[in-house]
Amino acid sequence: MQKGILLILSGFAGSGKGTVVNELLNRYDNYSLSVSATTRSPRPGEQDGREYFFKTVEQFEAMIEKGEFLEYAKYVDNYYGTPREYVEHKLDEGKDVILEIEQQGALQIKEKCPEALLLFIMPPSVREIYNRLKGRGTETEEVIMKRMTQGAREARVIERYDYLIINDDLDKCIEDVHNTIQCSKFSTDRNKDIISRTIEEFDGFTA
Ligand code: 5GP
């Protein structure tokens, strides 16, 4: 069986990437979502083990010590990390595993797993990002402004991703993300074994 693709999905706060991920999982059966651990407090409606595994700083640091994370980063004063075991298991089962993570973690993964596919999702404008954060109504103005400052830093790292997808129309964005992932499966880089087998078969014929 072909191993699944490790997908990194990042985007500014307010990019709608969470909705895109949920819809990918609803519409297609080739995806699995990795649930991260974090030290931030749950937002209203969030459940332990569903959106995140909520940890204390001490618990999170113990997991770091034990090498349980594929990557981890500090983002706006909290730790976030991807538990390694689930990801490796699902990739081996042939699932395309989605990590919805920020940029420091994405770049760590790119170093460690060069075959990972890095996608960056963004709304059509910066004003739209602010409006979406404000409209969400779950964060204070201070936190929103912190996230906008963070966004200014993040914009400078987008070019290190493989693909940039604009989330203006949600349905189109979901299709674009899915098609990009599916197309990448046909890249010659991901099909090296077919190429070497073809060479061997030709050599068998002409020897
Ligand atoms: P939020 O607090 O809004 O849920 O997430 C804040 C940021 O942390 C988002 O950009 C999200 O993608 C990122 N994030 C969530 N889980 C992880 C993780 O496991 N590792 C890293 N590096 N970032 C994560």
Side-chain angles (χ1 to χ4, degrees), residues 41-59:
S41 320
R43 294 196 187 115
E46 287 184 337
Q47 261 177 38
D48 189 42
R50 190 179 65 188
E51 280 79 14
Y52 285 103
F53 296 107
F54 294 100
K55 304 283 177 195
T56 62
V57 172
E58 293 70 29
Q59 287 169 331

Side-chain angles (χ1 to χ4, degrees), residues 108-188:
Q108 284 178 47
I109 298 274
K110 194 174 172 150
E111 283 281 304
K112 281 191 221 163
C113 322
E115 73 286 2
L117 189 66
L118 275 67
L119 307 183
F120 196 86
I121 297 182
M122 59 175 283
S125 70
V126 172
R127 170 55 57 184
E128 178 69 19
I129 295 172
Y130 178 80
N131 290 345
R132 287 188 195 180
L133 284 177
K134 195 91 182 145
R136 200 148 84 176
T138 50
E139 267 135 314
T140 61
E141 184 67 22
E142 192 198 338
V143 172
I144 292 176
M145 286 319 292
K146 263 192 173 178
R147 296 204 164 203
M148 295 303 287
T149 309
Q150 183 78 24
R153 280 195 291 271
E154 289 173 354
R156 291 164 170 81
V157 185
I158 299 174
E159 62 185 15
R160 302 196 54 192
Y161 282 66
D162 297 309
Y163 294 98
L164 169 64
I165 295 170
I166 305 291
N167 182 10
D168 192 0
D169 174 273
L170 180 64
D171 269 323
K172 177 160 188 321
C173 178
I174 294 159
E175 292 294 301
D176 286 346
V177 171
H178 178 68
N179 291 338
T180 304
I181 295 163
Q182 296 313 306
C183 273
S184 82
K185 292 189 176 171
F186 300 113
S187 77
T188 48

